[in-house]
């Protein structure tokens, strides 16, 4: 794979992000808003008929980006956007705080960031770009003052799974990056954690 740069999704990069996600907004009109919206609002956006389908999700991501909130990082092959990872302070992801399966055990712990989603166009998959995006997310969260980075990967038991099922990453990928993975105390779903700085 050619050399890839990975950059924050700043307002001037919105057109690149929109072009990469395409008309369906990555995973089924998601626009990487799944963790940023209440369940009923997200579902309403993805279940309405075209051309409105996904419009509110797109607007959520567009507004965040154009407001300079940096909702994630974009990978580039030259000038072509070719990958995405959503990483931000954990409190920005409203779905986590409301989720029985992933609700934080320590909601008041300061400095926790979350990496919640990866998106790679089909021809970019299986070349290690997801790992490079995770490494970049680690460095970005650390540089922005995060003390812990959390992820919510899927345990594929060392095998492969459809991309739409592992959009949060795999346990193996997170472990290779140095994260410790433990089951959530309620749902037993894997939660990956990496300390970004010494106490």
């Amino acid at each position: 794979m050619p050399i890839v740069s990975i950059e924050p999704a700043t307002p001037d990069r919105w057109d690149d992000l929109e072009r990469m996600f395409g008309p369906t907004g990555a995973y089924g009109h998601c626009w990487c808003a799944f963790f940023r919206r209440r369940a009923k609002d997200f579902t309403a956006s993805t279940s309405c008929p075209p051309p409105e389908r996904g419009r509110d999700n797109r607007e959520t991501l567009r507004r965040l980006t154009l407001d300079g909130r940096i909702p994630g990082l974009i990978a580039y092959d030259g000038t072509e956007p070719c990958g995405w990872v959503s990483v931000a302070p954990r409190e920005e992801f409203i779905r986590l705080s409301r989720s029985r399966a992933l609700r934080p055990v320590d909601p008041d712990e300061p400095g926790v960031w979350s990496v919640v989603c990866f998106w790679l166009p089909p021809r970019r998959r299986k070349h290690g770009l997801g790992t490079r995006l995770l490494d970049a997310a680690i460095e970005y969260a650390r540089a922005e003052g995060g003390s812990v980075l959390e992820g919510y990967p899927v345990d594929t038991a060392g095998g492969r799974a459809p991309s739409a099922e592992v959009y949060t990453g795999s346990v193996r990928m997170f472990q290779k990056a140095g994260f410790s993975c433990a089951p959530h105390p309620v749902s037993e779903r894997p939660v990956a954690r990496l300390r970004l700085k010494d106490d």
Side-chain angles (χ1 to χ4, degrees), residues 3 10 15 27 93 106 149 161:
I3 293 177
T10 49
D15 289 345
Y27 298 109
F93 300 108
D106 51 355
L149 184 60

Side-chain angles (χ1 to χ4, degrees), residues 4-81:
V4 170
S5 65
I6 300 176
E7 308 292 342
T10 49
D12 58 304
R13 298 182 189 277
W14 166 251
D15 289 345
D16 293 342
L17 185 55
E18 186 176 38
R19 180 159 51 100
M20 183 181 62
F21 278 179
T24 60
Y27 298 109
H29 302 277
C30 175
W31 289 95
C32 208
F34 179 82
F35 284 99
R36 292 183 178 274
R37 304 192 73 199
R38 295 182 305 171
K40 67 177 184 178
D41 296 331
F42 178 85
T43 300
S45 184
T46 56
S47 58
C48 62
E52 293 82 11
R53 184 173 298 154
R55 182 184 59 193
D56 290 346
N57 292 336
R58 175 189 175 276
E59 181 59 23
T60 294
L61 184 63
R62 189 186 77 85
R63 189 172 54 251
L64 283 169
T65 305
L66 297 185
D67 285 350
R69 297 269 294 279
I70 314 293
L73 310 175
I74 306 172
Y76 288 87
D77 176 358
T79 59
E80 179 187 359

Side-chain angles (χ1 to χ4, degrees), residues 10 36 45 70 104 119 121-122 147 149 156 159 161 170 175 177 190 192 194 197:
T10 49
R36 292 183 178 274
S45 184
I70 314 293
W119 163 251
S147 57
L149 184 60
T156 62
S170 70
Q175 287 176 331
L194 178 69
K197 60 184 181 182

Side-chain angles (χ1 to χ4, degrees), residues 122-138:
R123 69 187 183 90
R124 297 290 183 170
R125 297 168 189 167
K126 301 180 183 178
H127 298 291
L129 182 53
T131 296
R132 294 177 72 174
L133 282 163
L134 179 55
D135 290 342
I138 293 168

